Amino acid sequence: MGRGTLPARRGLGCCVLVLLLLLEGSGSPGTPPAPRGPWAEEQGAVSEGGPWGRARYEAVKKPLEAVGALSKRYWRYVACKVWQEGCEEEEEKEKEQERGSSWGFPLVGQDYLEILSAWYCSFGKCCETGDCRIINNITGLEADLSRQLHGQHLAKEVVVQALQGFLQSPRPQKALVLSFHGWSGTGKNFVARLVASHLYRDGLKSECVRVFVSLLHFPHHNYVDSYKAQLQRQLSETLWRCRQALFIFDEAEKLHSSLLDAIRPFMAHHDSKGQADHQRSIFLFLSNLGGNTINEVALDFWRAGRAREEISMELLEQRLQLELQEAAEDSYAHSHLLREKLISVVVPFLPLEYHHVKLCARDAFLARGLPYTEATLDKVAQMMVFVPKEEKLFSAQGCKSVPQRINYFLP
């Protein structure tokens, strides 16, 4: 922050003083609580000169002097933390305290100052790393998945549970690796974006998030050695900068096997002893592999008259693992991660039906602030191609092209 931001400093100073007064009211750790009555019995009787007699003056004199001295200390502490001003003076005060200063920095007050500094940093880039902008809002993620992700009861549950369990673990023994599988347009990229936006205040723009698209970032097999070195460097730099990093690999089935050699060490199991928090990392692999198997299961349930919500994770995961292991034999590099047990959870994305496409169309209209009717939503859905040829049950592109289709219905 610049030196000219006086209003911001005044506002922050007011917050500090309010916190200080509240904290002084409760006392420093280890100090016995103040009497609850109007005045302590040991203060003696109030003088007849008026409500603010000598006894009361003496009673509040020392606390007020302590408040004044401590407020200056708080202000120096905040200025040093936020604007890096007066840090030399702060260091001198700390040395004096170590040599036996008459008053200390209350632990509770220091905790509140750390919280206040982190809150202030959340509005700007006053941190050396992106850590102060990590929010890990799992409750918000769960709410948005429930409201905006259609037809994916398994993905909603699995993603939230996996992330919540991983983030609550004090020292996980390996990175969290989620492998998203399903047809194009079923919501894999959408969920990845939601995860980024609810774990980091800056979403995909966070310096703790890296997105790699196979055919975009690693297009030529002749340069795979160069890609490998670059990828290792980017992963290492991100993990060094952030105690919690998110890596997203789109079109994962097209990754060259040598690139997996670069990624594998960052996902492997390790001894949790002595591991620093900055080594906590999350990998999302997005792949179309397994889409046909998932669709066959969904179609079988429909033909049997069973609801798609009855499809269990156990059933799909077993079928998916068989297909992915066969893909590994056919040199699909990404599938080797499953064989090596580096993938934590396989997340299936079911094919979308007609009413799911209508919900996607509704969301697209709302996102652009455009009016719509049920008839309009039907027209958008009818523009999509549905398969198989006989049943015409599933949208061939999911909801991928729905936002472009509503352009035909602009007023």
Side-chain angles (χ1 to χ4, degrees):
M1 299 292 295
R3 295 178 179 268
T5 56
L6 189 56
R9 296 189 186 187
R10 288 175 176 170
L12 192 57
C14 292
C15 294
V16 171
L17 291 177
V18 170
L19 285 172
L20 172 64
L21 292 174
L22 291 173
L23 292 168
E24 283 297 311
S26 60
S28 301
T31 303
R36 291 292 181 182
W39 293 103
E41 294 180 1
E42 59 268 21
Q43 296 293 341
V46 180
S47 69
E48 298 177 357
W52 283 95
R54 183 69 183 177
R56 293 189 178 183
Y57 169 75
E58 292 296 336
V60 300
K61 179 180 178 182
K62 290 185 178 181
L64 285 176
E65 289 176 351
V67 167
L70 197 55
S71 64
K72 293 179 182 178
R73 181 72 187 279
Y74 273 116
W75 177 250
R76 285 195 301 268
Y77 182 82
V78 173
C80 176
K81 281 285 185 181
V82 178
W83 299 289
Q84 286 77 47
E85 296 179 2
C87 293
E88 296 179 358
E89 184 178 357
E90 184 65 23
E91 291 176 358
E92 287 296 323
K93 290 295 181 181
E94 290 179 357
K95 292 179 180 178
E96 289 180 9
Q97 182 178 342
E98 292 175 357
R99 290 193 295 264
S101 180
S102 59
W103 56 273
F105 205 18
L107 178 61
V108 176
Q110 187 168 353
D111 289 342
Y112 271 99
L113 250 293
E114 295 288 355
I115 295 172
L116 188 62
S117 298
W119 169 80
Y120 187 84
C121 284
S122 68
F123 293 95
K125 293 186 176 180
C126 62
C127 307
E128 294 181 359
T129 72
D131 289 348
C132 68
R133 300 182 68 79
I134 296 175
I135 53 177
N136 289 342
N137 182 12
I138 298 299
T139 302
L141 173 63
E142 186 174 14
D144 279 353
L145 287 174
S146 178
R147 185 174 60 253
Q148 301 178 39
L149 182 65
H150 308 300
Q152 305 297 350
H153 67 285
L154 293 175
K156 291 177 185 178
E157 180 180 359
V158 171
V159 170
V160 170
Q161 288 182 352
L163 286 170
Q164 193 168 41
F166 180 74
L167 295 175
Q168 289 177 351
S169 176
R171 290 187 180 275
Q173 294 186 350
K174 69 179 294 294
L176 176 65
V177 183
L178 302 182
S179 191
F180 294 177
H181 295 270
W183 264 7
S184 177
T186 52
K188 301 187 298 295
N189 275 283
F190 179 71
V191 172
R193 289 196 301 271
L194 280 182
V195 168
S197 65
H198 285 85
L199 297 188
Y200 305 90
R201 194 179 303 276
D202 301 317
L204 292 176
K205 295 181 180 180
S206 170
E207 61 181 7
C208 298
V209 179
R210 290 290 178 268
V211 180
F212 304 96
V213 183
S214 296
L215 294 183
L216 176 64
H217 294 94
F218 320 113
H220 304 293
H221 287 183
N222 293 336
Y223 304 109
V224 70
D225 290 338
S226 176
Y227 297 150
K228 180 179 178 180
Q230 293 174 16
L231 182 57
Q232 285 180 322
R233 184 176 68 253
Q234 291 182 18
L235 296 180
S236 298
E237 289 176 353
T238 305
L239 286 170
W240 176 84
R241 187 182 303 114
C242 303
R243 60 181 170 84
Q244 176 185 300
L246 173 64
F247 303 108
I248 302 172
F249 289 85
D250 198 4
E251 299 177 345
E253 72 276 6
K254 299 180 177 67
L255 279 173
H256 193 277
S257 57
S258 294
L259 296 179
L260 287 182
D261 293 336
I263 303 169
R264 189 178 287 106
F266 298 95
M267 297 186 295
H269 292 76
H270 56 73
D271 183 3
S272 61
K273 291 184 178 181
Q275 293 295 328
D277 284 342
H278 72 258
Q279 291 180 324
R280 185 188 298 265
S281 54
I282 302 169
F283 287 81
L284 303 182
F285 289 94
L286 284 53
S287 173
N288 291 335
L289 281 178
N292 291 335
T293 295
I294 296 172
N295 295 352
E296 288 173 4
V297 172
L299 185 60
D300 290 341
F301 268 69
W302 181 82
R303 286 171 175 168
R306 302 175 63 183
R308 62 191 282 135
E309 287 73 21
E310 295 181 40
I311 300 175
S312 67
M313 187 65 193
E314 293 74 18
L315 173 62
L316 267 183
E317 190 172 23
Q318 184 179 8
R319 297 277 295 270
L320 268 176
Q321 287 183 353
L322 290 174
E323 180 175 344
L324 295 177
Q325 287 174 0
E326 292 177 0
E329 295 175 359
D330 294 334
S331 75
Y332 280 96
H334 165 232
S335 300
H336 284 282
L337 297 177
L338 181 64
R339 175 178 291 180
E340 298 171 19
K341 302 188 184 303
L342 293 177
I343 293 178
S344 307
V345 183
V346 173
V347 184
F349 283 75
L350 300 171
L352 299 183
E353 300 177 11
Y354 184 87
H355 64 283
H356 299 133
V357 176
K358 286 183 63 176
L359 292 172
C360 292
R362 180 204 63 185
D363 293 346
F365 277 106
L366 291 174
R368 297 173 64 172
L370 299 173
Y372 67 89
T373 63
E374 282 296 317
T376 304
L377 299 183
D378 276 316
K379 290 180 180 178
V380 174
Q382 289 166 5
M383 297 175 70
M384 308 296 289
V385 176
F386 288 84
V387 295
K389 186 176 180 180
E390 297 79 14
E391 291 86 354
K392 296 188 180 299
L393 181 61
F394 304 132
S395 172
Q397 290 185 299
C399 286
K400 196 163 190 175
S401 62
V402 165
Q404 289 75 35
R405 302 296 175 114
I406 68 173
N407 292 330
Y408 293 100
F409 303 94
L410 296 179

